[in-house]
Amino acid sequence: MITTGNHGARNAFSVGVLGTGSYVPAHVVSNEEVGAPAGVDHEWILGKTGIRERRWAKPDEATSDLAVIAGRAALESAGIRARQLSFIVVATSTPDQPQPPTAAVVAAELGADQGTAAFDVNGVCTGFLFALTTAQGMLAAATGEGYALVIGADVYSRILNREDRRTTILFGDGAGAVVLGPAAGEGRGILANRLASFAADRHLIEVPGGGSRIPTTAETLAEGLQYFTMNGRGVRDFVAANVPPAIHAFLSERGLTTADIAHFVPHQANGHMLENLSEEIGVGTERTWTTYERYGNTGAASVPITLDRAARSGRLADGDLVLLAGFGGGMALGLSLVRW
């Protein structure tokens, strides 16, 4: 477990969120469209997940295309040019291709300077929190020099078995981004992060084929090993057992409770799961931001997309405490506490 924070002389430089952005593809996929091949209908999907629709990328849209648009929106929001960036970090488990990193494609398309370090992070649905923590640490170590663009982007529609009702109904495509830089004032910015992996449960979510252990062959394709798989019940049990205690401990170590949290921005895994989680930790649905109804589960993009929607609503006031929470494949958990 890794915990970081902006406190004490060692972390005198405070990193804050300077701007946000997001993008989802134009193509709206209804429950009827996604449910037909899987043998379920709109009411079944809505009842099980709370999802009404999702967006899927066009055949010529890749993860980097979505990431670039979200990144541009975040840069514009922050008033920062791509050439000012020290780092571009892309969290994705659906890269454009195995090599080069998708972040390199994004850097080139945005017109970043040759001195900008661009790399990917794969933490599956927790990826954005891993990327955010990494970028914040690098900027803090630079004691106030530079900016970072952190993007969560995934195109899960490319790795779904359209006949598997356990997975195909849940996922959408999208990208969300934040620009990090010097916080607006003392006590502001990213106050603390926590990352943890529960590797014994790693098989709950996986894409078995296509890597060095099971390279892609005609046989693996025939077996469907290129598709995303998930043990839904196991994931629900993992979240229920691990996420609420981790959130309470994370806040308690800082003399806080969920009563101090003005806004809760969780990974958009499933509507019913989020309702249960919000009630369990004591923030309720009134302080929980959601986008799953329209966009489904967008993987590493879900937290930054939802944060962007919250930021652009005008309801995030200066000084509000915002709790970000990611959880998913690995299995992994990520938390970030931000003073807006």
Side-chain angles (χ1 to χ4, degrees):
M1 181 177 292
I2 299 294
T3 303
T4 66
N6 283 327
H7 47 76
R10 183 181 173 197
N11 290 309
F13 171 59
S14 183
V15 176
V17 176
L18 307 186
T20 65
S22 62
Y23 174 73
V24 292
H27 177 49
V28 177
V29 180
S30 68
N31 281 346
E32 289 85 357
E33 180 179 346
V34 74
V40 294
D41 61 16
H42 168 76
E43 294 302 327
W44 190 91
I45 296 171
L46 187 63
K48 291 286 186 180
T49 70
I51 298 170
R52 294 182 178 276
E53 60 188 33
R54 73 284 296 141
R55 307 294 185 92
W56 282 357
K58 295 183 296 184
D60 61 348
E61 282 185 309
T63 296
S64 65
D65 297 315
L66 280 56
V68 166
I69 299 173
R72 284 198 183 111
L75 289 168
E76 181 178 355
S77 171
I80 300 298
R81 294 176 299 164
R83 291 188 176 277
Q84 295 176 263
L85 295 170
S86 298
F87 307 102
I88 296 176
V89 188
V90 174
T92 186
S93 54
T94 58
D96 285 15
Q97 56 195 78
Q99 298 180 35
T102 299
V105 181
V106 173
E109 291 298 319
L110 290 177
D113 187 80
Q114 290 183 354
T116 302
F119 60 95
D120 291 356
V121 169
N122 182 358
V124 195
C125 291
T126 318
F128 177 75
L129 275 299
F130 277 81
L132 187 77
T133 301
T134 300
Q136 185 236 348
M138 292 188 297
L139 288 177
T143 62
E145 295 295 327
Y147 303 92
L149 177 63
V150 182
I151 304 172
D154 271 312
V155 179
Y156 269 79
S157 61
R158 300 285 159 75
I159 58 172
L160 297 176
N161 177 351
R162 302 297 167 83
E163 296 180 357
D164 181 6
R165 69 182 188 181
R166 296 168 298 180
T167 58
T168 192
I169 65 172
L170 291 172
F171 290 91
D173 304 334
V178 299
V179 173
L180 300 183
E186 186 176 353
R188 300 280 289 279
I190 301 173
L191 305 182
N193 302 302
R194 173 164 294 176
L195 303 175
S197 290
F198 302 77
D201 293 321
R202 65 192 182 278
H203 295 304
L204 291 177
I205 296 174
E206 62 180 343
V207 177
S212 61
R213 184 169 299 281
I214 306 177
T216 300
T217 64
E219 289 75 17
T220 64
L221 293 175
E223 292 181 52
L225 300 184
Q226 72 275 22
Y227 292 128
F228 176 94
T229 66
M230 181 174 67
N231 179 333
R233 184 176 297 278
V235 171
R236 288 193 297 273
D237 291 345
F238 169 85
V239 172
N242 294 286
V243 178
I247 288 174
H248 288 306
F250 178 64
L251 295 176
S252 177
E253 290 164 7
R254 285 149 191 87
L256 301 169
T257 70
T258 51
D260 299 300
I261 300 302
H263 305 278
F264 180 43
V265 183
H267 169 52
Q268 305 292 299
N270 173 304
H272 296 310
M273 184 185 293
L274 291 189
E275 289 175 6
N276 292 338
L277 175 60
S278 298
E279 295 300 327
E280 176 69 21
I281 66 173
V283 298
T285 56
E286 67 278 2
R287 286 184 282 157
T288 301
W289 287 88
T290 63
T291 53
Y292 66 83
E293 302 97 327
R294 294 180 60 199
Y295 303 141
N297 179 342
T298 52
S302 77
V303 169
I305 286 175
T306 308
L307 179 62
D308 181 51
R309 294 296 186 268
R312 292 176 187 271
S313 75
R315 290 169 53 194
L316 270 61
D318 289 351
D320 279 354
L321 275 177
V322 181
L323 177 64
L324 311 180
F327 43 87
M331 296 294 285
L333 167 68
L335 302 171
S336 184
L337 184 64
V338 182
R339 178 76 71 179
W340 204 251

